[in-house]
């Protein structure tokens, strides 16, 4: 909740003066609504905050799908190599992030693969299973993203759902647990 005095914003935890009276920094937190109203302070709702993965700052949904870049005349814009410039939509950005996450999870155990190639030393089953699970989860997550028809569906996918035992379960497929953690 934000506060205003005579139309001007008042910062919480900052001392202020009304007339000849100086108020301490904690006064807005400790005072009642009636005390604030008595000196002319009004409460105003905070501006809404939107998840920047899906929305612009004003609450407008970002484009889900990729679009060809155009100039102010509507003409297509080309890259330096002559290919069409593409503006990535939310789905492409999120899928690229999933690939980065999977890559970092796999990278922890790449040394097993190198050792196998160089020395023919077997990769432990737990590591192979984990690496396969990471790749499968990444593919599934990308499919879940692709299958979202609108922004609301993406927001729901990236959220979680309360279970009957009062715990929260993510709506999206989860990566497997690290076998060494």
């Amino acid at each position: 909740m934000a506060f205003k005095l005579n139309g001007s914003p008042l910062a919480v935890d900052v001392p202020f003066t009304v007339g000849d009276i100086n108020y301490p920094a904690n006064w807005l937190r400790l005072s009642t609504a009636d005390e604030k109203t008595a000196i002319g302070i009004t409460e105003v709702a905070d501006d809404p905050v939107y998840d920047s993965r899906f929305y612009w700052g004003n609450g407008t949904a970002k484009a889900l799908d990729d679009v060809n870049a155009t100039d102010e005349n509507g003409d297509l814009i080309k890259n330096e190599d002559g290919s069409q410039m593409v503006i990535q939509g939310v789905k492409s950005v999120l899928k690229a992030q999933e690939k980065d996450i999977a890559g970092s999870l796999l990278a922890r155990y790449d040394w097993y693969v190198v050792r196998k190639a160089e020395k023919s030393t077997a990769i432990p089953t737990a590591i192979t299973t984990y690496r396969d699970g990471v790749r499968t989860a990444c593919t599934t997550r990308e499919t879940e993203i692709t299958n979202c028809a609108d922004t609301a569906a993406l927001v729901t996918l990236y959220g979680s759902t309360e279970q009957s035992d009062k715990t929260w379960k993510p709506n999206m497929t989860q990566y497997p647990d690290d076998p060494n953690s």
Side-chain angles (χ1 to χ4, degrees), residues 3-158:
F3 300 100
K4 288 192 174 186
L5 176 62
N6 300 324
S8 297
L10 273 179
V12 176
D13 296 330
V14 175
F16 63 97
T17 302
V18 177
D20 295 335
I21 301 173
N22 295 322
Y23 292 88
N26 63 351
W27 192 85
L28 288 173
R29 290 191 186 279
L30 300 176
S31 60
T32 66
D34 289 339
E35 290 170 326
K36 290 179 191 102
T37 302
I39 63 169
I41 295 175
T42 56
E43 290 188 38
V44 293
D46 291 328
D47 290 334
V49 177
Y50 300 98
D51 189 327
S52 63
R53 294 175 295 180
F54 311 113
Y55 300 99
W56 297 108
N58 65 1
T60 304
K62 293 181 178 179
L64 293 181
D65 299 313
D66 298 349
V67 294
N68 290 333
T70 57
D71 62 18
E72 60 276 353
N73 298 322
D75 298 325
L76 296 175
I77 300 174
K78 302 288 184 183
N79 290 315
E80 289 181 15
D81 65 1
S83 63
Q84 175 60 49
M85 182 181 285
V86 175
I87 299 170
Q88 287 191 325
V90 173
K91 288 182 180 183
S92 290
V93 171
L94 293 174
K95 288 190 278 188
Q97 289 173 355
E98 291 303 327
K99 288 184 188 317
D100 288 344
I101 292 167
S104 69
L105 293 173
L106 292 171
R108 296 178 195 163
Y109 297 107
D110 283 351
W111 69 273
Y112 281 107
V113 178
V114 172
R115 183 180 72 171
K116 168 88 169 141
E118 290 179 354
K119 301 288 185 182
S120 298
T121 303
I123 301 171
T125 304
I127 301 301
T128 303
T129 301
Y130 171 74
R131 290 173 61 86
D132 289 343
V134 167
R135 285 188 283 271
T136 299
C138 181
T139 300
T140 303
R141 288 168 74 105
E142 288 180 41
T143 301
E144 291 169 345
I145 292 166
T146 298
N147 291 341
C148 289
D150 55 25
T151 302
L154 268 176
V155 170
T156 300
L157 178 64
Y158 274 80

